[in-house]
Amino acid sequence: MYPILFGVGVIIPLLKDKEGDCNSIDNYRGITLCPVISKLFELVIIDSYSHMLTTDDLQFGFKPNLSCDSAIFTWRTTVDHFVEHGSSVFVASLDVSKAFDTVSHTKLIDFLAKKGIPHWLLCLLNDWYSKLVGTVRWLNQLSYSFPITNGVRQGSSLSPSIFSVFVDTFILDLKALDKGCTISDKFLGCIMYADDLILLSASVSGLQAMLDCCYETSQLLSLKFNNIKSHCFVVGPLHDANIRCMRVGNDVIEWRTYIKYLGIMFSSGKKLHVNTDPVKHKFFRAFNSIYGNCRSLNELVHLKLHESYCLPLLSYGSAAVKLTTCQLADMNSCWNIGVSLVFANMTPFVCLLLALEDWILLIYVC
């Protein structure tokens, strides 16, 4: 029997978009706090059975030494390869509606059984998931407790691994369909990062066949695609062609001239373009927040805060995408503007010391 307290979680609602409607339930994301002892137990399970919780190479989420940059680089280089050889690439970005919260516990256990997970562990997980209870904390008040009958357990160390195994079915079914982009006989027609799924095809009919396959798989897994957040996109010679809308089941997926994938905005055209404006806006919002609330701090402390919290926003994904010389200069200008504001009132002597430090570092690197 699994300890009842291991299944208790405290849910804290966090605002997604501060500029959005604060009174809308859809603008909040629940973060669940779990008992530390249960996380420790899960880490023991992962250490013992990680070899059974493997997923396809096209799943980049929740894996060591892989990140969003890895998924972005794979999809960008695949598109560039086909475009450079004169072909258009038809892309579909699919959003699974509340994927983590709608997973069927029964089907999750069934899929884990197919992966060869020991029977005793399946029984333990089944007992554990039957005892999941949540309570919402708002300010200093706790709501009444309620049972959680769907979804993988939030805040759990084990949930990412078992969720990846569950949705790995999408990749396996698409590989069996054999309709997407391939390079040197290697299938690269779909790329997943957790529940973010992107499809790549060299033809419209092939993309529709892949969408049909994804719909059938979603029905098998009892998951649903959000057609409002799902879009189609073309890169290459046919980027401005008039193409009929695609479908996932009975839902229409519209064509867009831009697509947002893992936080980076891509624009359609003869080649794949990156729109850096959203990144710059995030950088300046974060910079202004720190700069406005920490005026009394030392300049060097200011700089450290901006390097820790603002610079990563500006450089996010830059290693995986192709930025033009103009874009690189523009990004560098953003950082220089921030630094100049921080050190606007610095004494000439300190500026000279910082300049000498930069020259010494440059000589050392060279």
Side-chain angles (χ1 to χ4, degrees), residues 38-242:
S38 69
K39 290 187 176 183
L40 181 61
F41 179 72
E42 290 169 331
L43 291 175
V44 173
I45 294 176
I46 293 174
D47 185 65
S48 302
Y49 296 100
S50 59
H51 62 286
M52 294 183 179
L53 298 173
T54 57
T55 56
D56 194 273
D57 291 340
L58 293 173
Q59 169 61 269
F60 292 87
F62 313 123
K63 289 184 176 179
N65 303 320
L66 292 178
S67 63
C68 292
D69 282 359
S70 306
I72 294 168
F73 179 80
T74 302
W75 111 268
R76 195 267 298 170
T77 51
T78 301
V79 171
D80 287 348
H81 174 83
F82 277 81
V83 171
E84 288 169 3
H85 287 77
S87 175
S88 294
V89 181
F90 302 90
V91 182
S93 175
L94 299 179
D95 179 81
V96 184
S97 180
K98 302 185 183 301
F100 289 88
D101 299 329
T102 56
V103 171
S104 166
H105 292 169
T106 303
K107 294 190 176 182
L108 177 63
I109 299 299
D110 289 342
F111 276 88
L112 291 176
K114 293 178 182 178
K115 294 289 289 187
I117 301 298
H119 181 70
W120 72 267
L121 182 54
L122 293 175
C123 292
L124 184 146
L125 289 174
N126 188 51
D127 182 52
W128 186 0
Y129 270 69
S130 68
K131 297 176 179 177
L132 293 185
V133 175
T135 180
V136 178
R137 188 176 80 188
W138 183 257
L139 300 179
N140 296 320
Q141 302 296 321
L142 291 175
S143 72
Y144 62 87
S145 299
F146 52 88
I148 298 175
T149 57
N150 288 297
V152 291
R153 188 165 176 252
Q154 283 198 13
S156 162
S157 302
L158 184 61
S159 291
S161 298
I162 61 178
F163 178 80
S164 295
V165 171
F166 186 66
V167 297
D168 200 47
T169 311
F170 282 110
I171 300 176
L172 299 178
D173 289 350
L174 287 168
K175 277 189 169 182
L177 182 67
D178 194 23
K179 287 288 186 180
C181 293
T182 58
I183 299 177
S184 298
D185 295 328
K186 181 174 179 59
F187 178 78
L188 292 165
C190 70
I191 298 169
M192 288 196 77
Y193 191 92
D195 61 331
D196 286 316
L197 175 61
I198 194 162
L199 308 179
L200 309 173
S201 174
S203 67
V204 176
S205 60
L207 182 63
Q208 184 59 66
M210 296 175 75
L211 289 171
D212 293 339
C213 178
C214 287
Y215 176 74
E216 293 174 4
T217 304
S218 69
Q219 295 298 298
L220 176 66
L221 301 180
S222 296
L223 297 175
K224 181 178 175 58
F225 290 112
N226 185 345
N227 66 308
I228 297 176
K229 294 184 178 180
S230 300
H231 308 293
C232 291
F233 179 80
V234 187
V235 183
L238 298 177
H239 69 94
D240 56 353
N242 186 16

Side-chain angles (χ1 to χ4, degrees), residues 283-302:
F283 167 77
F284 281 117
R285 279 200 298 267
F287 181 90
N288 291 333
S289 178
I290 294 175
Y291 186 76
N293 290 286
C294 306
R295 290 181 179 275
S296 60
L297 296 179
N298 180 275
E299 289 88 350
L300 295 179
V301 176
H302 256 287

